Amino acid sequence: MGSFFIFKVNMNNKGPIGIFDSGIGGTSIWKEVHSLLPWEDTLYLADSKYAPYGTRSKSEIIALSRKNTEFLIHAGCKIIIVACNTATTNAIQELRNSYDIPIIGIEPAIKPAALRTLNKSIGILATRGTLSSDLFHKTSKTFTKDIEVVEVVGEGLVTLIEQGYIDSEEIIELLNTYMQPMINARIDYLVLGCTHYPYLIPILKKILPQNVTIIDSGEAVAKQTKAILNANNLLVNVSRVPSLRFYTNAEIAPLKFLLQDYSDAIEISYKDF
Ligand code: DGL
């Protein structure tokens, strides 16, 4: 779909921060954002009905990302966080070309891993959609010139996490298989290139040698969000109780499970979007 017009948005600091992901994984980003910006209202969309995005075509990912972005804009959001590597690497340019609102994306943290690796070997676990995107290739090429990069598609992981099987035998088995080529290549950094994967860190730590550092981009996204809100005079900087809403277009239970520590402060509901 081409972009022929820019969708104008009236922003003020009263709107919530809008966040979307193909499902519940982007809550790993929401947690970082809420921790850094505790007074801000947030509205999170879990597009679980259409997950996983990672096996879809670029044009499908763009169409779904537009649908979510428009929902959040109509709900009065002042900034959009694309809390999904797959949607960012495939659709962020189209979104930025179409909507006149700050849009923050998330990409695999290749740069810090490449700068810090002592073994000159890093691993990247991400979806097929992310690993095959032009944006990912471009970033990877820029930062990993003399470094071995082991890219592995986390086939099946998003679907299992969406179904609530985070601690399952099936996930452990898949991760054992996916980590093998990385262990063989003596990686010392593992980049999690999907916002669902931080929930797998306890299992990954058991599988990987102790010298492997696991990194994701959650904190960086939260800091970037704060900086952009500040630069646009959109930051809420008075202490207040925020409205923290979550909408899912599928089962509520897996989302509730991941957010159980926040149950007193948040509102989760089903919405058909
Ligand atoms: N959380 C999404 C990401 O960061 C998962 C993508 C998918 O649905 O496959 O890529």
Side-chain angles (χ1 to χ4, degrees), residues 52-151:
Y53 281 11
T55 49
R56 294 180 180 276
S57 67
K58 184 175 167 80
S59 60
E60 279 180 300
I61 298 169
I62 292 173
L64 289 166
S65 300
R66 281 186 184 282
K67 165 184 75 79
N68 299 331
T69 303
E70 286 177 18
F71 184 102
L72 291 170
I73 289 174
H74 286 131
C77 292
K78 60 183 176 184
I79 191 168
I80 308 287
I81 303 175
V82 183
C84 175
N85 291 262
T86 314
T88 300
T89 50
N90 285 276
I92 195 117
Q93 208 46 59
E94 282 75 9
L95 298 180
R96 288 194 175 133
N97 289 344
S98 304
Y99 309 107
D100 183 24
I101 183 171
I103 300 179
I104 312 275
I106 180 163
E107 282 185 69
I110 306 174
K111 186 179 169 186
L115 289 175
R116 290 177 208 156
T117 174
L118 297 176
N119 292 0
K120 298 280 172 222
S121 178
I122 65 171
I124 301 176
L125 185 66
T127 69
R128 189 172 299 285
T130 294
L131 292 177
S132 64
S133 67
D134 294 339
L135 189 55
F136 173 78
H137 284 144
K138 217 174 119 199
T139 315
S140 183
K141 230 172 121 191
T142 312
F143 297 111
T144 61
K145 289 212 169 68
D146 314 310
I147 289 165
E148 180 172 4
V149 183
V150 186
E151 295 175 13

Side-chain angles (χ1 to χ4, degrees), residues 237-249:
N237 34 30
V238 288
S239 154
R240 61 196 274 277
V241 178
S243 144
L244 308 170
R245 277 177 298 152
F246 292 79
Y247 292 151
T248 173
N249 51 16

Side-chain angles (χ1 to χ4, degrees), residues 77-234:
C77 292
K78 60 183 176 184
I79 191 168
I80 308 287
I81 303 175
V82 183
C84 175
N85 291 262
T86 314
T88 300
T89 50
N90 285 276
I92 195 117
Q93 208 46 59
E94 282 75 9
L95 298 180
R96 288 194 175 133
N97 289 344
S98 304
Y99 309 107
D100 183 24
I101 183 171
I103 300 179
I104 312 275
I106 180 163
E107 282 185 69
I110 306 174
K111 186 179 169 186
L115 289 175
R116 290 177 208 156
T117 174
L118 297 176
N119 292 0
K120 298 280 172 222
S121 178
I122 65 171
I124 301 176
L125 185 66
T127 69
R128 189 172 299 285
T130 294
L131 292 177
S132 64
S133 67
D134 294 339
L135 189 55
F136 173 78
H137 284 144
K138 217 174 119 199
T139 315
S140 183
K141 230 172 121 191
T142 312
F143 297 111
T144 61
K145 289 212 169 68
D146 314 310
I147 289 165
E148 180 172 4
V149 183
V150 186
E151 295 175 13
V152 175
V153 174
E155 206 77 74
L157 295 175
V158 167
T159 305
L160 286 166
I161 295 167
E162 284 292 315
Q163 291 165 348
Y165 295 122
I166 293 182
D167 269 330
S168 64
E169 279 307 311
E170 226 174 326
I171 285 226
I172 295 171
E173 217 168 281
L174 286 177
L175 287 178
N176 267 308
T177 308
Y178 297 158
M179 290 304 109
Q180 210 46 59
M182 307 217 188
I183 294 169
N184 293 346
R186 298 182 55 249
I187 63 157
D188 55 3
Y189 274 84
L190 170 64
V191 177
L192 300 182
C194 170
T195 55
H196 282 67
Y197 299 168
Y199 290 111
L200 305 177
I201 289 176
I203 304 175
L204 285 166
K205 280 194 169 156
K206 286 188 195 146
I207 297 173
L208 290 166
Q210 273 189 355
N211 70 319
V212 178
T213 306
I214 304 174
I215 55 174
D216 64 75
S217 321
E219 204 187 324
V221 167
K223 285 186 178 157
Q224 173 75 352
T225 305
K226 186 174 180 181
I228 300 289
L229 285 176
N230 200 17
N232 287 281
N233 272 329
L234 294 172

